[in-house]
mmCIF file of all heavy atoms in Angstrom:
data_model
loop_
_atom_site.group_PDB
_atom_site.id
_atom_site.type_symbol
_atom_site.label_atom_id
_atom_site.label_comp_id
_atom_site.label_asym_id
_atom_site.label_seq_id
_atom_site.Cartn_x
_atom_site.Cartn_y
_atom_site.Cartn_z
ATOM 1 N N SER A 158 -11.396 -10.457 2.808
ATOM 2 C CA SER A 158 -10.989 -10.949 1.487
ATOM 3 C C SER A 158 -11.897 -12.067 0.996
ATOM 4 O O SER A 158 -12.167 -12.180 -0.208
ATOM 5 C CB SER A 158 -9.552 -11.470 1.555
ATOM 6 O OG SER A 158 -8.690 -10.446 1.984
ATOM 7 N N ASN A 178 -8.402 -1.460 -3.787
ATOM 8 C CA ASN A 178 -8.709 -2.747 -3.168
ATOM 9 C C ASN A 178 -7.667 -3.121 -2.107
ATOM 10 O O ASN A 178 -6.540 -3.471 -2.430
ATOM 11 C CB ASN A 178 -8.749 -3.810 -4.276
ATOM 12 C CG ASN A 178 -8.963 -5.200 -3.751
ATOM 13 O OD1 ASN A 178 -9.412 -5.391 -2.618
ATOM 14 N ND2 ASN A 178 -8.642 -6.193 -4.567
ATOM 15 N N THR A 180 -8.144 -5.624 0.014
ATOM 16 C CA THR A 180 -8.256 -7.039 0.366
ATOM 17 C C THR A 180 -7.166 -7.831 -0.354
ATOM 18 O O THR A 180 -6.506 -7.311 -1.257
ATOM 19 C CB THR A 180 -9.633 -7.622 -0.045
ATOM 20 O OG1 THR A 180 -9.615 -7.918 -1.439
ATOM 21 C CG2 THR A 180 -10.770 -6.672 0.268
ATOM 22 N N SER A 181 -6.999 -9.087 0.023
ATOM 23 C CA SER A 181 -5.992 -9.889 -0.681
ATOM 24 C C SER A 181 -6.602 -10.691 -1.827
ATOM 25 O O SER A 181 -5.962 -11.546 -2.407
ATOM 26 C CB SER A 181 -5.225 -10.783 0.301
ATOM 27 O OG SER A 181 -6.105 -11.538 1.066
ATOM 28 N N ALA A 182 -7.867 -10.405 -2.156
ATOM 29 C CA ALA A 182 -8.488 -11.009 -3.348
ATOM 30 C C ALA A 182 -8.290 -10.047 -4.510
ATOM 31 O O ALA A 182 -8.873 -8.975 -4.522
ATOM 32 C CB ALA A 182 -9.979 -11.227 -3.089
ATOM 33 N N PRO A 183 -7.437 -10.399 -5.483
ATOM 34 C CA PRO A 183 -7.174 -9.441 -6.562
ATOM 35 C C PRO A 183 -8.395 -9.205 -7.434
ATOM 36 O O PRO A 183 -9.129 -10.138 -7.745
ATOM 37 C CB PRO A 183 -6.048 -10.107 -7.356
ATOM 38 C CG PRO A 183 -6.077 -11.548 -6.994
ATOM 39 C CD PRO A 183 -6.679 -11.641 -5.630
ATOM 40 N N PHE A 184 -8.630 -7.946 -7.779
ATOM 41 C CA PHE A 184 -9.721 -7.565 -8.676
ATOM 42 C C PHE A 184 -9.132 -7.190 -10.016
ATOM 43 O O PHE A 184 -8.140 -6.481 -10.077
ATOM 44 C CB PHE A 184 -10.470 -6.350 -8.116
ATOM 45 C CG PHE A 184 -11.629 -6.721 -7.254
ATOM 46 C CD1 PHE A 184 -11.413 -7.357 -6.046
ATOM 47 C CD2 PHE A 184 -12.924 -6.446 -7.647
ATOM 48 C CE1 PHE A 184 -12.479 -7.716 -5.239
ATOM 49 C CE2 PHE A 184 -13.997 -6.803 -6.846
ATOM 50 C CZ PHE A 184 -13.782 -7.434 -5.645
ATOM 51 N N ASN A 185 -9.735 -7.655 -11.076
ATOM 52 C CA ASN A 185 -9.304 -7.255 -12.402
ATOM 53 C C ASN A 185 -10.524 -6.999 -13.259
ATOM 54 O O ASN A 185 -11.092 -7.923 -13.826
ATOM 55 C CB ASN A 185 -8.433 -8.344 -13.030
ATOM 56 C CG ASN A 185 -7.173 -8.572 -12.215
ATOM 57 O OD1 ASN A 185 -6.324 -7.710 -12.138
ATOM 58 N ND2 ASN A 185 -7.083 -9.733 -11.576
ATOM 59 N N ASN A 194 -4.844 -2.729 -6.766
ATOM 60 C CA ASN A 194 -4.835 -3.765 -5.734
ATOM 61 C C ASN A 194 -3.692 -3.451 -4.779
ATOM 62 O O ASN A 194 -2.546 -3.320 -5.191
ATOM 63 C CB ASN A 194 -4.625 -5.145 -6.364
ATOM 64 C CG ASN A 194 -5.835 -5.591 -7.166
ATOM 65 O OD1 ASN A 194 -6.957 -5.598 -6.664
ATOM 66 N ND2 ASN A 194 -5.619 -5.933 -8.421
ATOM 67 N N ASP A 196 -2.656 -4.819 -1.454
ATOM 68 C CA ASP A 196 -2.733 -5.734 -0.320
ATOM 69 C C ASP A 196 -1.567 -5.491 0.641
ATOM 70 O O ASP A 196 -0.402 -5.639 0.275
ATOM 71 C CB ASP A 196 -2.692 -7.165 -0.841
ATOM 72 C CG ASP A 196 -2.691 -8.175 0.287
ATOM 73 O OD1 ASP A 196 -3.023 -7.785 1.423
ATOM 74 O OD2 ASP A 196 -2.358 -9.334 0.036
ATOM 75 N N THR A 198 -0.603 -7.189 3.131
ATOM 76 C CA THR A 198 0.171 -8.383 3.485
ATOM 77 C C THR A 198 1.385 -8.522 2.566
ATOM 78 O O THR A 198 2.488 -8.863 3.016
ATOM 79 C CB THR A 198 -0.697 -9.659 3.337
ATOM 80 O OG1 THR A 198 -1.908 -9.461 4.026
ATOM 81 C CG2 THR A 198 0.022 -10.862 3.903
ATOM 82 N N THR A 199 1.169 -8.258 1.282
ATOM 83 C CA THR A 199 2.247 -8.381 0.304
ATOM 84 C C THR A 199 3.444 -7.534 0.697
ATOM 85 O O THR A 199 4.596 -7.976 0.637
ATOM 86 C CB THR A 199 1.736 -7.926 -1.087
ATOM 87 O OG1 THR A 199 0.603 -8.704 -1.418
ATOM 88 C CG2 THR A 199 2.806 -8.088 -2.152
ATOM 89 N N GLU A 202 5.285 -8.931 3.723
ATOM 90 C CA GLU A 202 6.069 -10.112 3.338
ATOM 91 C C GLU A 202 7.321 -9.703 2.565
ATOM 92 O O GLU A 202 8.370 -10.320 2.688
ATOM 93 C CB GLU A 202 5.202 -11.077 2.519
ATOM 94 C CG GLU A 202 4.130 -11.722 3.378
ATOM 95 C CD GLU A 202 3.445 -12.901 2.711
ATOM 96 O OE1 GLU A 202 3.442 -12.966 1.480
ATOM 97 O OE2 GLU A 202 2.918 -13.748 3.452
ATOM 98 N N GLU B 15 6.938 -9.525 -4.606
ATOM 99 C CA GLU B 15 5.536 -9.119 -4.395
ATOM 100 C C GLU B 15 4.581 -10.108 -5.069
ATOM 101 O O GLU B 15 3.590 -10.531 -4.475
ATOM 102 C CB GLU B 15 5.278 -7.725 -4.985
ATOM 103 C CG GLU B 15 5.863 -6.610 -4.169
ATOM 104 C CD GLU B 15 5.549 -5.232 -4.766
ATOM 105 O OE1 GLU B 15 4.633 -5.120 -5.605
ATOM 106 O OE2 GLU B 15 6.249 -4.276 -4.405
ATOM 107 N N ARG B 16 4.904 -10.459 -6.313
ATOM 108 C CA ARG B 16 3.996 -11.362 -7.033
ATOM 109 C C ARG B 16 3.997 -12.758 -6.416
ATOM 110 O O ARG B 16 2.952 -13.402 -6.337
ATOM 111 C CB ARG B 16 4.353 -11.408 -8.518
ATOM 112 C CG ARG B 16 3.890 -10.169 -9.289
ATOM 113 C CD ARG B 16 4.028 -10.356 -10.793
ATOM 114 N NE ARG B 16 5.409 -10.515 -11.185
ATOM 115 C CZ ARG B 16 6.198 -9.519 -11.597
ATOM 116 N NH1 ARG B 16 5.735 -8.293 -11.690
ATOM 117 N NH2 ARG B 16 7.450 -9.742 -11.928
ATOM 118 N N LEU B 17 5.147 -13.230 -5.950
ATOM 119 C CA LEU B 17 5.193 -14.556 -5.305
ATOM 120 C C LEU B 17 4.255 -14.582 -4.103
ATOM 121 O O LEU B 17 3.531 -15.556 -3.881
ATOM 122 C CB LEU B 17 6.627 -14.894 -4.873
ATOM 123 C CG LEU B 17 7.610 -15.228 -5.998
ATOM 124 C CD1 LEU B 17 9.025 -15.330 -5.424
ATOM 125 C CD2 LEU B 17 7.238 -16.523 -6.710
ATOM 126 N N SER B 18 4.275 -13.494 -3.338
ATOM 127 C CA SER B 18 3.406 -13.388 -2.168
ATOM 128 C C SER B 18 1.942 -13.441 -2.604
ATOM 129 O O SER B 18 1.102 -14.090 -1.973
ATOM 130 C CB SER B 18 3.737 -12.079 -1.440
ATOM 131 O OG SER B 18 2.751 -11.755 -0.508
ATOM 132 N N GLU B 19 1.637 -12.794 -3.732
ATOM 133 C CA GLU B 19 0.260 -12.782 -4.247
ATOM 134 C C GLU B 19 -0.130 -14.136 -4.848
ATOM 135 O O GLU B 19 -1.236 -14.625 -4.601
ATOM 136 C CB GLU B 19 0.119 -11.658 -5.285
ATOM 137 C CG GLU B 19 0.174 -10.277 -4.642
ATOM 138 C CD GLU B 19 0.473 -9.135 -5.614
ATOM 139 O OE1 GLU B 19 0.619 -9.399 -6.820
ATOM 140 O OE2 GLU B 19 0.569 -7.987 -5.155
ATOM 141 N N TYR B 20 0.787 -14.739 -5.602
ATOM 142 C CA TYR B 20 0.503 -16.075 -6.156
ATOM 143 C C TYR B 20 0.190 -17.041 -5.018
ATOM 144 O O TYR B 20 -0.734 -17.840 -5.094
ATOM 145 C CB TYR B 20 1.709 -16.663 -6.909
ATOM 146 C CG TYR B 20 2.199 -15.897 -8.111
ATOM 147 C CD1 TYR B 20 3.515 -16.066 -8.555
ATOM 148 C CD2 TYR B 20 1.378 -15.023 -8.809
ATOM 149 C CE1 TYR B 20 3.996 -15.385 -9.663
ATOM 150 C CE2 TYR B 20 1.853 -14.332 -9.914
ATOM 151 C CZ TYR B 20 3.163 -14.512 -10.337
ATOM 152 O OH TYR B 20 3.651 -13.843 -11.421
ATOM 153 N N ARG B 21 1.021 -16.959 -3.980
ATOM 154 C CA ARG B 21 0.895 -17.892 -2.867
ATOM 155 C C ARG B 21 -0.515 -17.843 -2.267
ATOM 156 O O ARG B 21 -1.129 -18.878 -2.011
ATOM 157 C CB ARG B 21 1.940 -17.560 -1.802
ATOM 158 C CG ARG B 21 1.915 -18.494 -0.599
ATOM 159 C CD ARG B 21 2.997 -18.106 0.407
ATOM 160 N NE ARG B 21 2.820 -18.885 1.621
ATOM 161 C CZ ARG B 21 1.954 -18.554 2.566
ATOM 162 N NH1 ARG B 21 1.214 -17.471 2.452
ATOM 163 N NH2 ARG B 21 1.831 -19.327 3.643
ATOM 164 N N ARG B 22 -1.029 -16.615 -2.083
ATOM 165 C CA ARG B 22 -2.366 -16.508 -1.499
ATOM 166 C C ARG B 22 -3.434 -17.077 -2.427
ATOM 167 O O ARG B 22 -4.361 -17.752 -1.979
ATOM 168 C CB ARG B 22 -2.671 -15.061 -1.118
ATOM 169 C CG ARG B 22 -2.130 -14.709 0.261
ATOM 170 C CD ARG B 22 -2.666 -13.389 0.756
ATOM 171 N NE ARG B 22 -2.292 -12.317 -0.139
ATOM 172 C CZ ARG B 22 -1.085 -11.782 -0.186
ATOM 173 N NH1 ARG B 22 -0.131 -12.226 0.607
ATOM 174 N NH2 ARG B 22 -0.810 -10.810 -1.021
ATOM 175 N N SER B 23 -3.292 -16.817 -3.726
ATOM 176 C CA SER B 23 -4.261 -17.381 -4.678
ATOM 177 C C SER B 23 -4.169 -18.898 -4.703
ATOM 178 O O SER B 23 -5.183 -19.598 -4.775
ATOM 179 C CB SER B 23 -4.000 -16.842 -6.090
ATOM 180 O OG SER B 23 -4.129 -15.451 -6.100
ATOM 181 N N LEU B 24 -2.952 -19.418 -4.650
ATOM 182 C CA LEU B 24 -2.754 -20.871 -4.688
ATOM 183 C C LEU B 24 -3.374 -21.530 -3.460
ATOM 184 O O LEU B 24 -4.007 -22.585 -3.563
ATOM 185 C CB LEU B 24 -1.249 -21.197 -4.769
ATOM 186 C CG LEU B 24 -0.571 -20.842 -6.103
ATOM 187 C CD1 LEU B 24 0.950 -20.848 -5.944
ATOM 188 C CD2 LEU B 24 -0.992 -21.791 -7.216
ATOM 189 N N ILE B 25 -3.201 -20.902 -2.307
ATOM 190 C CA ILE B 25 -3.778 -21.449 -1.081
ATOM 191 C C ILE B 25 -5.303 -21.474 -1.200
ATOM 192 O O ILE B 25 -5.956 -22.448 -0.834
ATOM 193 C CB ILE B 25 -3.316 -20.637 0.158
ATOM 194 C CG1 ILE B 25 -1.842 -20.947 0.444
ATOM 195 C CG2 ILE B 25 -4.171 -20.940 1.384
ATOM 196 C CD1 ILE B 25 -1.213 -20.081 1.511
ATOM 197 N N SER B 26 -5.847 -20.392 -1.744
ATOM 198 C CA SER B 26 -7.287 -20.318 -1.949
ATOM 199 C C SER B 26 -7.759 -21.431 -2.902
ATOM 200 O O SER B 26 -8.781 -22.085 -2.641
ATOM 201 C CB SER B 26 -7.636 -18.928 -2.493
ATOM 202 O OG SER B 26 -8.931 -18.907 -3.013
ATOM 203 N N CYS B 27 -7.011 -21.675 -3.985
ATOM 204 C CA CYS B 27 -7.338 -22.768 -4.918
ATOM 205 C C CYS B 27 -7.271 -24.124 -4.214
ATOM 206 O O CYS B 27 -8.169 -24.961 -4.341
ATOM 207 C CB CYS B 27 -6.350 -22.791 -6.091
ATOM 208 S SG CYS B 27 -6.546 -21.418 -7.237
ATOM 209 N N TYR B 28 -6.189 -24.306 -3.475
ATOM 210 C CA TYR B 28 -5.943 -25.583 -2.807
ATOM 211 C C TYR B 28 -7.083 -25.925 -1.840
ATOM 212 O O TYR B 28 -7.534 -27.065 -1.765
ATOM 213 C CB TYR B 28 -4.603 -25.522 -2.068
ATOM 214 C CG TYR B 28 -4.134 -26.865 -1.562
ATOM 215 C CD1 TYR B 28 -3.726 -27.854 -2.453
ATOM 216 C CD2 TYR B 28 -4.107 -27.150 -0.207
ATOM 217 C CE1 TYR B 28 -3.296 -29.097 -2.000
ATOM 218 C CE2 TYR B 28 -3.675 -28.380 0.260
ATOM 219 C CZ TYR B 28 -3.273 -29.351 -0.642
ATOM 220 O OH TYR B 28 -2.856 -30.574 -0.189
ATOM 221 N N LYS B 29 -7.552 -24.891 -1.130
ATOM 222 C CA LYS B 29 -8.664 -25.085 -0.194
ATOM 223 C C LYS B 29 -9.934 -25.518 -0.916
ATOM 224 O O LYS B 29 -10.801 -26.167 -0.340
ATOM 225 C CB LYS B 29 -8.934 -23.787 0.574
ATOM 226 C CG LYS B 29 -7.950 -23.537 1.706
ATOM 227 C CD LYS B 29 -8.312 -22.277 2.467
ATOM 228 C CE LYS B 29 -7.296 -21.951 3.544
ATOM 229 N NZ LYS B 29 -7.429 -20.560 4.003
ATOM 230 N N ARG B 30 -10.058 -25.098 -2.183
ATOM 231 C CA ARG B 30 -11.240 -25.473 -2.963
ATOM 232 C C ARG B 30 -11.032 -26.794 -3.715
ATOM 233 O O ARG B 30 -11.823 -27.156 -4.571
ATOM 234 C CB ARG B 30 -11.596 -24.344 -3.941
ATOM 235 C CG ARG B 30 -12.282 -23.177 -3.244
ATOM 236 C CD ARG B 30 -12.569 -22.041 -4.220
ATOM 237 N NE ARG B 30 -11.350 -21.329 -4.587
ATOM 238 C CZ ARG B 30 -11.136 -20.739 -5.756
ATOM 239 N NH1 ARG B 30 -12.039 -20.806 -6.693
ATOM 240 N NH2 ARG B 30 -10.012 -20.100 -5.996
ATOM 241 N N GLY B 31 -9.936 -27.490 -3.411
ATOM 242 C CA GLY B 31 -9.726 -28.817 -3.987
ATOM 243 C C GLY B 31 -9.005 -28.831 -5.324
ATOM 244 O O GLY B 31 -8.937 -29.872 -5.987
ATOM 245 N N ILE B 32 -8.497 -27.689 -5.739
ATOM 246 C CA ILE B 32 -7.766 -27.621 -7.016
ATOM 247 C C ILE B 32 -6.320 -28.059 -6.768
ATOM 248 O O ILE B 32 -5.611 -27.449 -5.959
ATOM 249 C CB ILE B 32 -7.816 -26.188 -7.597
ATOM 250 C CG1 ILE B 32 -9.269 -25.787 -7.864
ATOM 251 C CG2 ILE B 32 -6.962 -26.071 -8.855
ATOM 252 C CD1 ILE B 32 -9.477 -24.302 -8.123
ATOM 253 N N THR B 33 -5.898 -29.136 -7.436
ATOM 254 C CA THR B 33 -4.556 -29.679 -7.170
ATOM 255 C C THR B 33 -3.524 -29.228 -8.203
ATOM 256 O O THR B 33 -2.331 -29.226 -7.924
ATOM 257 C CB THR B 33 -4.572 -31.220 -7.141
ATOM 258 O OG1 THR B 33 -5.017 -31.675 -8.436
ATOM 259 C CG2 THR B 33 -5.519 -31.744 -6.067
ATOM 260 N N HIS B 34 -3.993 -28.874 -9.420
ATOM 261 C CA HIS B 34 -3.065 -28.429 -10.466
ATOM 262 C C HIS B 34 -3.585 -27.160 -11.125
ATOM 263 O O HIS B 34 -4.806 -26.980 -11.252
ATOM 264 C CB HIS B 34 -2.866 -29.519 -11.524
ATOM 265 C CG HIS B 34 -2.048 -30.665 -11.012
ATOM 266 N ND1 HIS B 34 -2.562 -31.615 -10.142
ATOM 267 C CD2 HIS B 34 -0.741 -30.995 -11.207
ATOM 268 C CE1 HIS B 34 -1.610 -32.490 -9.839
ATOM 269 N NE2 HIS B 34 -0.503 -32.129 -10.468
ATOM 270 N N ILE B 35 -2.661 -26.309 -11.550
ATOM 271 C CA ILE B 35 -3.083 -25.054 -12.172
ATOM 272 C C ILE B 35 -2.106 -24.687 -13.290
ATOM 273 O O ILE B 35 -0.890 -24.832 -13.145
ATOM 274 C CB ILE B 35 -3.195 -23.928 -11.103
ATOM 275 C CG1 ILE B 35 -3.880 -22.687 -11.670
ATOM 276 C CG2 ILE B 35 -1.828 -23.557 -10.523
ATOM 277 C CD1 ILE B 35 -4.330 -21.702 -10.598
ATOM 278 N N PHE B 36 -2.656 -24.224 -14.408
ATOM 279 C CA PHE B 36 -1.812 -23.774 -15.520
ATOM 280 C C PHE B 36 -1.372 -22.329 -15.293
ATOM 281 O O PHE B 36 -2.088 -21.554 -14.646
ATOM 282 C CB PHE B 36 -2.579 -23.896 -16.845
ATOM 283 C CG PHE B 36 -2.757 -25.310 -17.305
ATOM 284 C CD1 PHE B 36 -3.980 -25.951 -17.204
ATOM 285 C CD2 PHE B 36 -1.667 -26.016 -17.824
ATOM 286 C CE1 PHE B 36 -4.142 -27.262 -17.613
ATOM 287 C CE2 PHE B 36 -1.823 -27.341 -18.240
ATOM 288 C CZ PHE B 36 -3.055 -27.962 -18.127
ATOM 289 N N SER B 37 -0.229 -21.993 -15.879
ATOM 290 C CA SER B 37 0.306 -20.639 -15.684
ATOM 291 C C SER B 37 -0.673 -19.572 -16.171
ATOM 292 O O SER B 37 -0.797 -18.516 -15.548
ATOM 293 C CB SER B 37 1.661 -20.480 -16.378
ATOM 294 O OG SER B 37 1.560 -20.801 -17.751
ATOM 295 N N ILE B 39 -3.887 -19.635 -16.107
ATOM 296 C CA ILE B 39 -4.991 -19.488 -15.142
ATOM 297 C C ILE B 39 -4.524 -18.638 -13.954
ATOM 298 O O ILE B 39 -5.183 -17.678 -13.548
ATOM 299 C CB ILE B 39 -5.477 -20.866 -14.622
ATOM 300 C CG1 ILE B 39 -5.890 -21.788 -15.784
ATOM 301 C CG2 ILE B 39 -6.613 -20.695 -13.608
ATOM 302 C CD1 ILE B 39 -7.159 -21.397 -16.481
ATOM 303 N N LEU B 40 -3.360 -18.990 -13.432
ATOM 304 C CA LEU B 40 -2.794 -18.214 -12.323
ATOM 305 C C LEU B 40 -2.583 -16.767 -12.767
ATOM 306 O O LEU B 40 -2.879 -15.821 -12.017
ATOM 307 C CB LEU B 40 -1.464 -18.862 -11.880
ATOM 308 C CG LEU B 40 -0.778 -18.279 -10.647
ATOM 309 C CD1 LEU B 40 -1.687 -18.279 -9.430
ATOM 310 C CD2 LEU B 40 0.503 -19.067 -10.324
ATOM 311 N N ALA B 41 -2.094 -16.593 -13.995
ATOM 312 C CA ALA B 41 -1.865 -15.245 -14.541
ATOM 313 C C ALA B 41 -3.173 -14.459 -14.602
ATOM 314 O O ALA B 41 -3.229 -13.293 -14.194
ATOM 315 C CB ALA B 41 -1.232 -15.355 -15.926
ATOM 316 N N GLY B 42 -4.231 -15.122 -15.098
ATOM 317 C CA GLY B 42 -5.525 -14.463 -15.241
ATOM 318 C C GLY B 42 -6.073 -13.957 -13.907
ATOM 319 O O GLY B 42 -6.695 -12.897 -13.837
ATOM 320 N N MET B 43 -5.814 -14.714 -12.823
ATOM 321 C CA MET B 43 -6.282 -14.307 -11.497
ATOM 322 C C MET B 43 -5.615 -13.010 -11.040
ATOM 323 O O MET B 43 -6.121 -12.326 -10.149
ATOM 324 C CB MET B 43 -6.000 -15.416 -10.475
ATOM 325 C CG MET B 43 -6.781 -16.701 -10.755
ATOM 326 S SD MET B 43 -6.204 -18.098 -9.749
ATOM 327 C CE MET B 43 -6.954 -17.690 -8.174
ATOM 328 N N HIS B 44 -4.459 -12.702 -11.634
ATOM 329 C CA HIS B 44 -3.717 -11.517 -11.199
ATOM 330 C C HIS B 44 -3.623 -10.449 -12.287
ATOM 331 O O HIS B 44 -2.908 -9.462 -12.119
ATOM 332 C CB HIS B 44 -2.316 -11.928 -10.725
ATOM 333 C CG HIS B 44 -2.364 -12.798 -9.509
ATOM 334 N ND1 HIS B 44 -2.454 -12.283 -8.241
ATOM 335 C CD2 HIS B 44 -2.432 -14.144 -9.378
ATOM 336 C CE1 HIS B 44 -2.536 -13.279 -7.386
ATOM 337 N NE2 HIS B 44 -2.528 -14.421 -8.038
ATOM 338 N N GLY B 45 -4.337 -10.687 -13.393
ATOM 339 C CA GLY B 45 -4.362 -9.687 -14.453
ATOM 340 C C GLY B 45 -3.017 -9.471 -15.126
ATOM 341 O O GLY B 45 -2.699 -8.370 -15.556
ATOM 342 N N ILE B 46 -2.194 -10.534 -15.170
ATOM 343 C CA ILE B 46 -0.891 -10.432 -15.834
ATOM 344 C C ILE B 46 -0.784 -11.544 -16.881
ATOM 345 O O ILE B 46 -1.716 -12.338 -17.042
ATOM 346 C CB ILE B 46 0.273 -10.523 -14.817
ATOM 347 C CG1 ILE B 46 0.201 -11.841 -14.018
ATOM 348 C CG2 ILE B 46 0.250 -9.325 -13.868
ATOM 349 C CD1 ILE B 46 1.375 -12.067 -13.098
ATOM 350 N N VAL B 51 4.247 -15.017 -15.220
ATOM 351 C CA VAL B 51 4.186 -16.047 -14.175
ATOM 352 C C VAL B 51 5.337 -17.036 -14.356
ATOM 353 O O VAL B 51 6.058 -17.361 -13.407
ATOM 354 C CB VAL B 51 2.830 -16.799 -14.209
ATOM 355 C CG1 VAL B 51 2.862 -18.036 -13.316
ATOM 356 C CG2 VAL B 51 1.694 -15.872 -13.782
ATOM 357 N N VAL B 70 -0.220 -27.515 -7.275
ATOM 358 C CA VAL B 70 -0.523 -26.374 -6.395
ATOM 359 C C VAL B 70 0.183 -26.482 -5.043
ATOM 360 O O VAL B 70 0.842 -25.540 -4.595
ATOM 361 C CB VAL B 70 -2.059 -26.221 -6.212
ATOM 362 C CG1 VAL B 70 -2.389 -25.168 -5.158
ATOM 363 C CG2 VAL B 70 -2.717 -25.845 -7.544
ATOM 364 N N LYS B 71 0.077 -27.658 -4.423
ATOM 365 C CA LYS B 71 0.657 -27.825 -3.083
ATOM 366 C C LYS B 71 2.192 -27.711 -3.131
ATOM 367 O O LYS B 71 2.809 -27.064 -2.279
ATOM 368 C CB LYS B 71 0.237 -29.191 -2.505
ATOM 369 C CG LYS B 71 0.742 -29.466 -1.082
ATOM 370 C CD LYS B 71 0.035 -28.588 -0.068
ATOM 371 C CE LYS B 71 0.429 -28.938 1.371
ATOM 372 N NZ LYS B 71 1.789 -28.572 1.707
ATOM 373 N N LEU B 73 3.956 -26.124 -5.319
ATOM 374 C CA LEU B 73 4.334 -24.734 -5.606
ATOM 375 C C LEU B 73 4.204 -23.852 -4.362
ATOM 376 O O LEU B 73 5.074 -23.011 -4.089
ATOM 377 C CB LEU B 73 3.484 -24.191 -6.767
ATOM 378 C CG LEU B 73 3.799 -22.751 -7.225
ATOM 379 C CD1 LEU B 73 5.280 -22.529 -7.466
ATOM 380 C CD2 LEU B 73 3.003 -22.411 -8.488
ATOM 381 N N ILE B 74 3.135 -24.060 -3.580
ATOM 382 C CA ILE B 74 2.970 -23.293 -2.332
ATOM 383 C C ILE B 74 4.183 -23.533 -1.427
ATOM 384 O O ILE B 74 4.795 -22.591 -0.918
ATOM 385 C CB ILE B 74 1.668 -23.695 -1.578
ATOM 386 C CG1 ILE B 74 0.432 -23.247 -2.360
ATOM 387 C CG2 ILE B 74 1.649 -23.098 -0.167
ATOM 388 C CD1 ILE B 74 -0.882 -23.849 -1.859
ATOM 389 N N ILE B 77 7.326 -21.821 -2.794
ATOM 390 C CA ILE B 77 7.325 -20.362 -2.554
ATOM 391 C C ILE B 77 7.619 -20.083 -1.083
ATOM 392 O O ILE B 77 8.345 -19.147 -0.747
ATOM 393 C CB ILE B 77 5.985 -19.723 -3.005
ATOM 394 C CG1 ILE B 77 5.860 -19.801 -4.533
ATOM 395 C CG2 ILE B 77 5.901 -18.262 -2.542
ATOM 396 C CD1 ILE B 77 4.528 -19.300 -5.088
ATOM 397 N N ASP B 78 7.074 -20.922 -0.187
ATOM 398 C CA ASP B 78 7.334 -20.757 1.242
ATOM 399 C C ASP B 78 8.826 -20.785 1.559
ATOM 400 O O ASP B 78 9.301 -20.022 2.401
ATOM 401 C CB ASP B 78 6.623 -21.855 2.051
ATOM 402 C CG ASP B 78 5.133 -21.562 2.207
ATOM 403 O OD1 ASP B 78 4.695 -20.473 1.798
ATOM 404 O OD2 ASP B 78 4.423 -22.433 2.737
ATOM 405 N N LEU B 81 10.076 -17.314 0.508
ATOM 406 C CA LEU B 81 9.593 -16.134 1.240
ATOM 407 C C LEU B 81 9.857 -16.184 2.738
ATOM 408 O O LEU B 81 10.008 -15.138 3.360
ATOM 409 C CB LEU B 81 8.083 -15.941 1.017
ATOM 410 C CG LEU B 81 7.602 -15.495 -0.363
ATOM 411 C CD1 LEU B 81 6.095 -15.234 -0.321
ATOM 412 C CD2 LEU B 81 8.324 -14.233 -0.829
ATOM 413 N N TYR B 82 9.884 -17.386 3.301
ATOM 414 C CA TYR B 82 9.862 -17.450 4.753
ATOM 415 C C TYR B 82 11.117 -18.036 5.376
ATOM 416 O O TYR B 82 11.768 -18.899 4.800
ATOM 417 C CB TYR B 82 8.657 -18.269 5.230
ATOM 418 C CG TYR B 82 7.356 -17.674 4.766
ATOM 419 C CD1 TYR B 82 6.436 -18.434 4.074
ATOM 420 C CD2 TYR B 82 7.078 -16.329 5.015
ATOM 421 C CE1 TYR B 82 5.249 -17.871 3.632
ATOM 422 C CE2 TYR B 82 5.899 -15.767 4.574
ATOM 423 C CZ TYR B 82 4.987 -16.534 3.887
ATOM 424 O OH TYR B 82 3.832 -15.991 3.452
ATOM 425 N N LYS B 108 -4.149 -13.702 10.086
ATOM 426 C CA LYS B 108 -3.676 -14.533 8.977
ATOM 427 C C LYS B 108 -2.635 -15.502 9.488
ATOM 428 O O LYS B 108 -1.960 -15.245 10.472
ATOM 429 C CB LYS B 108 -3.078 -13.651 7.883
ATOM 430 C CG LYS B 108 -4.138 -12.814 7.238
ATOM 431 C CD LYS B 108 -3.590 -11.951 6.144
ATOM 432 C CE LYS B 108 -4.734 -11.210 5.490
ATOM 433 N NZ LYS B 108 -4.844 -11.504 4.071
#
Side-chain angles (χ1 to χ4, degrees):
Chain A
S158 302
N178 176 18
T180 80
S181 53
F184 268 66
N185 298 293
N194 290 307
D196 177 16
T198 309
T199 303
E202 291 193 336
Chain B
E15 286 182 17
R16 284 190 296 266
L17 288 171
S18 166
E19 290 162 1
Y20 299 157
R21 181 179 172 278
R22 275 192 300 283
S23 300
L24 290 165
I25 287 172
S26 165
C27 289
Y28 191 69
K29 282 183 184 164
R30 284 177 287 149
I32 299 166
T33 61
H34 288 75
I35 191 165
F36 288 105
S37 56
I39 304 289
L40 186 56
M43 295 169 77
H44 295 276
I46 58 174
V51 169
V70 172
K71 182 70 175 70
L73 182 50
I74 292 168
I77 292 175
D78 282 354
L81 290 186
Y82 300 126
K108 293 181 176 239

